[in-house]
Amino acid sequence: MNIPTILGSVGTLIGLVRAVPQLVRLLRARGAFGVSVDTAATSSIVSLGWAAYGLLTGQTYVVLATGSSGLIFAIITVMALRYGRSVREFRVAPLWLVVLLVTGFAFGTDVLGIVLALSALVSNIPQILVAYREDNLHGLSLGTWLLSLSDGLVWGTYALLQHDVSIIASGAFQSTTSALIVARIIYQLSNKKTTDGELASE
């Protein structure tokens, strides 16, 4: 078993489970505080776009990893709306769906790969804005964003070995944006512990 195969297997496993902690968090908290429904919907669209790209370029690992996460992100979108987010928050998702469809049908896999590479950046920006704008992140899963960070690193390394520039760029954007969200969640958690500790000592 060579290194790309190992990385593809690990990336597929992460792709299968990375959105699960967020779904579990929503179901337990029954509130979507700090969750960007726009990012959830865009992530679903982008993941399914990558699944199509993987199918067209013969990369089975990409299809398996992104197809499954696309379905879970779709469920997260529905649950986030149910638990308090608003459809008025949809800004990027409808636009990016049109962009990917037009790109795929009009220009083929080469251009689709370039647009998908930008998608990790585009899809995660709404979550960065919500995470840094809202004080209550109780509904946002640290586990999912740690897995997203790992996902970007694994697929970025896989793509370097496979010489796939589109996936390299996507991995870099995914890692960077996920790291920003992870940092914000950890900051909020440490702040909460400090505040709770001060209140307990009074």
Side-chain angles (χ1 to χ4, degrees), residues 48-77:
L48 295 175
W50 273 118
Y53 175 84
L55 190 64
L56 293 170
T57 57
Q59 298 186 71
T60 307
Y61 291 120
V62 176
V63 177
L64 293 173
T66 56
S68 58
S69 65
L71 293 174
I72 297 173
F73 274 118
I75 297 170
I76 289 170
T77 302

Side-chain angles (χ1 to χ4, degrees), residues 175-190:
S175 300
T176 304
T177 53
S178 296
L180 288 171
I181 295 165
V182 166
R184 177 60 175 171
I185 296 172
I186 291 173
Y187 172 79
Q188 287 289 81
L189 287 173
S190 62

Side-chain angles (χ1 to χ4, degrees), residues 10-197:
V10 172
T12 300
L13 180 61
I14 294 172
L16 289 169
V17 302
R18 76 183 180 103
V20 172
Q22 182 60 74
L23 180 57
V24 172
R25 182 79 173 177
L26 283 172
L27 293 172
R28 285 182 176 172
R30 296 195 174 274
F33 298 107
V35 177
S36 169
V37 70
D38 200 14
T39 283
T42 309
S43 295
S44 176
I45 292 164
V46 170
S47 293
L48 295 175
W50 273 118
Y53 175 84
L55 190 64
L56 293 170
T57 57
Q59 298 186 71
T60 307
Y61 291 120
V62 176
V63 177
L64 293 173
T66 56
S68 58
S69 65
L71 293 174
I72 297 173
F73 274 118
I75 297 170
I76 289 170
T77 302
V78 173
M79 299 309 293
L81 289 171
R82 180 180 176 185
Y83 290 134
R85 305 312 296 198
S86 169
V87 292
R88 291 194 296 271
E89 295 177 48
F90 287 131
R91 291 182 176 86
V92 175
L95 172 64
W96 213 245
L97 174 60
V98 173
V99 168
L100 291 179
L101 287 173
V102 170
T103 301
F105 284 114
F107 302 105
T109 56
D110 289 340
V111 179
L112 178 62
I114 294 170
V115 176
L116 282 168
L118 296 171
S119 294
L121 180 63
V122 171
S123 64
N124 288 349
I125 282 177
Q127 183 58 74
I128 292 172
L129 294 175
V130 170
Y132 281 82
R133 186 173 60 229
E134 298 184 8
D135 291 328
N136 186 350
L137 304 183
H138 184 66
L140 192 58
S141 168
L142 176 60
T144 279
W145 289 103
L146 284 171
L147 286 170
S148 292
L149 173 58
S150 303
D151 186 63
L153 293 172
V154 169
W155 284 114
T157 307
Y158 166 89
L160 279 170
L161 297 173
Q162 296 293 91
H163 308 292
D164 191 315
V165 178
S166 297
I167 300 178
I168 291 171
S170 177
F173 288 136
Q174 180 75 8
S175 300
T176 304
T177 53
S178 296
L180 288 171
I181 295 165
V182 166
R184 177 60 175 171
I185 296 172
I186 291 173
Y187 172 79
Q188 287 289 81
L189 287 173
S190 62
N191 237 18
K192 185 177 185 299
K193 286 179 181 177
T194 301
T195 303
D196 290 348

